Amino acid sequence: MGQKLDYLKETPSQTAGPYVHIGLAPGAAGFEIYEQELGWDIAGPNARGERIRVEGVVLDGTGSPVKDVLLEAWQANAEGVYAHPEHGGEVEDGFRGWGRVITDFESGEWGFDTVKPGPAMGRNGQRMAPHINLWIVARGINVGLNTRLYFEDEAEANATDPVINLIEWESRRQTLIARRSERDGQTVYRFDIRLQGDGETVFFDI
Amino acid sequence: MTTPPKPSEFYQRDRRWHPPALSQDYKTSVTRSPRLPLISLENTASEITGPVFGHNDINPGDNDLLSNFAKTGESPIGERIIVHGRVLDENAQAVPKTLVEIWQANASGRYRHKKDTYLGALDPNFGGCGRTLTDEDGYYFFRTVKPGAYPWRNWVNDWRPAHIHVSVFGSGFAQRLITQLYFEGDPLIARCPIVNTIPDPKAVDMLIARIDMNATIPLDTIAYRFDIVLRGRRSTLFENRLEGN
């Protein structure tokens, strides 16, 4: 048999279930308990760059909204720097780049306010197009799903993005592009996520 | 001061160890599981970095579910337990200062959630959530009540084993994990379609907390031990370095 490798196995995932809000966003579950809930302010007051709103809905294989989903966002600041001690670069005071997003329980619509991220450095010196990383958990999702939101108005950067270009089927790349519009003077990006079936969103094994 | 681990790439996630997206017996997964394969991605800065939390983010009493929602001088009803353990990575290294969040039903099997309508009574002294940061050794602990089993709509007579939901971050976004803790000896574990989404019984064993008499406080609170393992990072020796490191 040879020598033993003493690596541990990762703890297996289980669904977040329908009541994920109790743990991660108790206000949404219907009660106040913590002095501050985490993840409601992604960019903070001092972040530079364009203020944007991102909205969408998560749809299941029948085309119905997933009303009990919870998303987490992870993004760089407008200069392409992640708020992580070893990423190299400073972020604005109060910029965390991480947020929690819950849905309206009636409609399944979700939305969050942030700043548009800048291009972060990817592997081998290749610059990545601006993007927001999303992690999606819900009842019926056994392992959290990872995807990336890219921006419609970054067509040139998207065309050379090393991750988008990993997707062999060009038609599927469109599932990662958020559509830009203006509403009451604010920039709004629309990003619907399809878990299954026609137009299924690209999910990544990261 | 421990310096945070230098971000480097993670070991590939063992997708045969985790539950598959589609598990026919867990009916809700049927319409919520992608049908197309995941696109495998070599880690970039977006995956190897992740949010950092500190003691300013939480309060010291947030990990005590016996008191964090109870009226002064009162406590929730149920078996008083301690849940404690370490957060490690696949290299068996401690994961320090990482955020651990839990949520659970009360002793009647009822959740404090506006969407839960189960017959089991709400407990006015129990909220059902807690959070804490691991210490330098990756150690964490909570005090709570043992949750009750409850029925759910899947097959008509399905009951969830007593469980606590656990959410952990690690130091990179690719380590993000949500799982569930079960209790040693519960006959509902083997019958549960959600537990049984996990193909390998050895993987299920990792979710079953063991009773820990040495950590039990005599005449006071029974302890259960639950260690959590997150993905490990590769050594960066002899390989092309990620840009930005």
Side-chain angles (χ1 to χ4, degrees), chain A residues 9-198:
Chain A
K9 292 296 286 183
E10 188 188 8
T11 298
S13 172
Q14 291 269 263
T15 177
Y19 305 126
V20 58
H21 317 92
I22 296 173
L24 308 189
F31 64 107
E32 304 293 323
I33 184 163
Y34 296 138
E35 213 167 280
Q36 55 170 340
E37 291 196 11
L38 299 173
W40 57 272
D41 188 5
I42 298 176
N46 304 313
R48 292 179 291 273
E50 184 186 7
R51 294 274 161 179
I52 63 170
R53 181 164 178 81
V54 179
E55 295 177 347
V57 67
V58 177
L59 300 166
D60 71 12
T62 72
S64 307
V66 179
K67 298 175 181 175
D68 49 13
V69 73
L70 181 138
L71 298 92
E72 286 186 359
W74 174 239
Q75 66 165 86
N77 72 0
E79 277 84 51
V81 180
Y82 283 100
H84 191 276
E86 297 280 335
H87 187 229
E90 293 280 313
V91 296
E92 302 87 341
D93 191 30
F95 179 89
R96 180 169 266 161
W98 169 80
R100 277 189 172 142
V101 188
I102 53 165
T103 60
D104 180 295
F105 290 159
E106 301 307 315
S107 67
E109 291 277 335
W110 51 263
F112 60 89
D113 298 302
T114 184
V115 294
K116 192 175 169 192
M121 200 57 93
R123 298 173 63 87
N124 308 318
Q126 283 182 291
R127 203 167 278 279
M128 295 189 282
H131 64 277
I132 298 176
N133 307 283
L134 294 173
W135 183 68
I136 302 153
V137 295
R139 177 172 67 103
I141 295 178
N142 288 329
V143 186
L145 295 168
N146 291 97
T147 190
R148 286 183 173 201
L149 176 160
Y150 287 86
F151 299 90
E152 178 181 29
D153 51 318
E154 297 283 346
E156 201 175 316
N158 293 342
T160 57
D161 179 83
V163 171
I164 291 179
N165 279 288
L166 267 182
I167 305 164
E168 183 184 338
W169 309 272
E170 284 186 36
S171 60
R172 297 200 68 205
R173 297 177 186 173
Q174 291 306 311
T175 66
L176 302 185
I177 312 292
R179 303 293 158 196
R180 182 178 174 118
S181 65
E182 303 279 326
R183 191 173 63 218
D184 304 330
Q186 196 190 16
T187 302
V188 180
Y189 286 94
R190 179 79 194 181
F191 190 69
D192 291 336
I193 295 167
R194 290 176 178 78
L195 296 180
Q196 187 187 96
D198 282 348

Side-chain angles (χ1 to χ4, degrees), chain B residues 146-184:
Chain B
K146 192 170 177 187
Y150 61 84
W152 61 298
R153 291 185 180 276
N154 188 59
W155 295 317
V156 80
N157 193 23
D158 270 328
W159 292 76
R160 292 304 322 280
H163 65 278
I164 298 177
H165 297 266
V166 183
S167 161
V168 201
F169 278 82
S171 57
F173 205 52
Q175 280 174 307
R176 194 76 182 83
L177 181 74
I178 283 181
T179 189
Q180 299 183 30
L181 171 164
Y182 304 100
F183 294 89
E184 178 183 1

Side-chain angles (χ1 to χ4, degrees), chain B residues 65-229:
Chain B
L65 286 72
L66 292 184
S67 68
N68 70 5
F69 196 76
K71 298 180 191 72
T72 309
E74 299 187 15
S75 356
I77 288 172
E79 189 179 334
R80 297 159 57 86
I81 63 169
I82 289 166
V83 171
H84 75 135
R86 291 178 76 202
V87 180
L88 305 167
D89 68 15
E90 289 170 291
N91 298 316
Q93 300 290 310
V95 182
K97 289 181 187 155
T98 200
L99 182 65
V100 181
E101 296 163 292
I102 65 169
W103 67 101
Q104 63 170 95
N106 67 21
S108 305
R110 175 76 182 268
Y111 283 97
R112 185 171 290 281
H113 191 290
K114 50 176 127 174
K115 291 287 179 188
D116 189 6
T117 54
Y118 177 45
L119 297 169
L122 275 174
D123 183 333
N125 290 307
F126 192 69
C129 60
R131 56 190 187 180
T132 191
L133 290 172
T134 57
D135 71 10
E136 296 298 332
D137 298 319
Y139 181 77
Y140 75 91
F141 70 95
F142 291 95
R143 206 164 66 138
T144 184
V145 294
K146 192 170 177 187
Y150 61 84
W152 61 298
R153 291 185 180 276
N154 188 59
W155 295 317
V156 80
N157 193 23
D158 270 328
W159 292 76
R160 292 304 322 280
H163 65 278
I164 298 177
H165 297 266
V166 183
S167 161
V168 201
F169 278 82
S171 57
F173 205 52
Q175 280 174 307
R176 194 76 182 83
L177 181 74
I178 283 181
T179 189
Q180 299 183 30
L181 171 164
Y182 304 100
F183 294 89
E184 178 183 1
D186 188 338
L188 292 172
I189 294 173
R191 293 173 168 84
C192 177
I194 290 178
V195 173
N196 289 327
T197 60
I198 298 173
D200 189 332
K202 293 197 295 291
V204 173
D205 274 345
M206 288 187 76
L207 301 185
I208 301 176
R210 298 287 299 268
I211 196 161
D212 181 352
M213 293 310 289
N214 289 351
T216 290
I217 305 171
L219 308 176
D220 186 325
T221 309
I222 293 176
Y224 285 88
R225 172 100 187 174
F226 189 68
D227 291 334
I228 299 161
V229 181

